[in-house]
Each structure stands twice: as structure tokens, then as C-alpha cells.
Amino acid sequence: MRNLKKPMKVHPRVPHPALAEADWADCYQLRIKNPDLTAMDAARLVLGHFPRWVRVLMAIRNTVVAPFGIKSSAAHSPTEMEMVGVFPIVSQSVHQVVLGFDDRHLDFRAVIDVRNNSGERLVSVMTLVRRKNLFGKLYLPAIIPFHKLITLAMIANLNQKPSP
């Protein structure tokens, strides 16, 4: 059995129905202990509560991109749409939740998938991006190192108990 505590980077399946035009993707998988975890539970554990250092990075990001007309991480309101953390829910089922939004520079989706695999639960967290213009093409490489750090830190939450 593989390590339960460390996410493993896997090749993303693209094109993906959540964002068929995506031109960049990454995916991490983790075997988890909780056999009853649903995709929504996993989405809430991964993206529902950012640690302080992530909130600081997001505030810096929002300040830097504001002059370019890019949406802040607080642009969507939970009173207007169902959300997990700062991300609107695009679609959901027992096994998969798709979160994301479209912006001027890129379209973004986070796909959280929970499946049984050889008697264990396997959670996949895939990010899909469609870059729309030059700013999107420059923006993505600038944030990828932060994206990776944040994603790995947030996936570590999967072996915690889901909140009610």
C-alpha cells in the first residue's frame, strides 16, 4: 500500500469535460483512510478553509492583479451561488465536485474526484486552466510554484475528519 500521508503527482486526464479547452492541467492523488468520504467532503477539506499563510498570499495576489481587471478571490458571493471556500460550485455528484470560474485572462476549474480503488478511497485533485490571452499566458507560470505549494498543503487536510 502506498503512503497515505503524501500526495502523489499523476498525469492529468485531458481533455476533461469540466473544461474541455484547458491548455494546462495538473493532478494529485492521495489514498485516504476515510471510506465514507464524499467528493463534497473532500472539496470542503481541501478548499474550504485556507491556512493564514495562504490567505496572505491570496491578498497579495488580489492587490497585484486588481489594476489588470482580474477578479479577486472574494469576487464571488456565497449569497449569490453555492460555494466551497472562495470557489463557486460548477457541478457536483457523490463522486465528483467541479469548482471554478471564468475570468478575462483564464478559465479555471478544480475537479475533486473520490473513488474506490482496490478496497481503498482514492482522492484526485485536478486543476484545469484555459489561458485566454497574453496576460493569462504570463500569469500562469508566475503562480505555478505557489499553486503547487498551496495544493500540496491543502491536500494534506484530506486525512482529517470532515466538518459538519
Side-chain angles (χ1 to χ4, degrees):
M1 178 162 93
R2 286 188 278 177
N3 186 341
L4 289 174
K5 295 180 182 176
K6 187 174 179 184
M8 184 173 77
K9 187 167 185 168
V10 297
H11 186 69
R13 291 182 178 171
V14 287
H16 191 280
L19 189 60
E21 307 85 14
D23 59 5
W24 184 89
D26 72 355
C27 186
Y28 293 89
Q29 290 183 337
L30 182 69
R31 293 189 185 283
I32 60 167
K33 300 172 192 170
N34 182 348
D36 301 318
L37 190 79
T38 67
M40 185 55 76
D41 293 336
R44 287 186 178 123
L45 284 168
V46 173
L47 297 168
H49 305 285
F50 292 145
R52 179 169 164 62
W53 66 270
V54 173
R55 292 192 307 267
V56 169
L57 284 175
M58 293 300 287
I60 293 167
R61 176 248 181 230
N62 292 342
T63 301
V64 169
V65 301
F68 300 100
I70 305 304
K71 292 177 185 173
S72 79
S73 57
H76 306 284
S77 168
T79 58
E80 297 171 9
M81 61 188 67
E82 192 175 358
M83 298 177 61
V84 173
V86 298
F87 302 106
I89 297 173
V90 174
S91 67
Q92 70 182 75
S93 70
V94 174
H95 297 289
Q96 186 178 85
V97 175
V98 178
L99 307 162
F101 53 86
D102 299 343
D103 206 342
R104 291 171 52 183
H105 67 308
L106 58 77
D107 297 340
F108 160 83
R109 300 290 183 276
V111 181
I112 293 85
D113 192 77
V114 179
R115 302 283 173 185
N116 287 326
N117 185 17
S118 302
E120 298 176 306
R121 288 298 249 187
L122 182 64
V123 178
S124 299
V125 178
M126 182 185 324
T127 304
L128 300 163
V129 176
R130 174 183 168 229
R131 295 170 281 193
K132 294 181 174 179
N133 56 34
L134 180 61
F135 186 76
K137 290 176 183 176
L138 296 173
Y139 174 80
L140 187 63
I143 66 155
I144 286 174
F146 302 103
H147 164 79
K148 183 177 178 180
L149 285 173
I150 292 167
T151 301
L152 290 172
M154 301 305 287
I155 290 173
N157 291 334
L158 283 168
N159 277 321
Q160 296 179 7
K161 293 196 185 297
S163 21

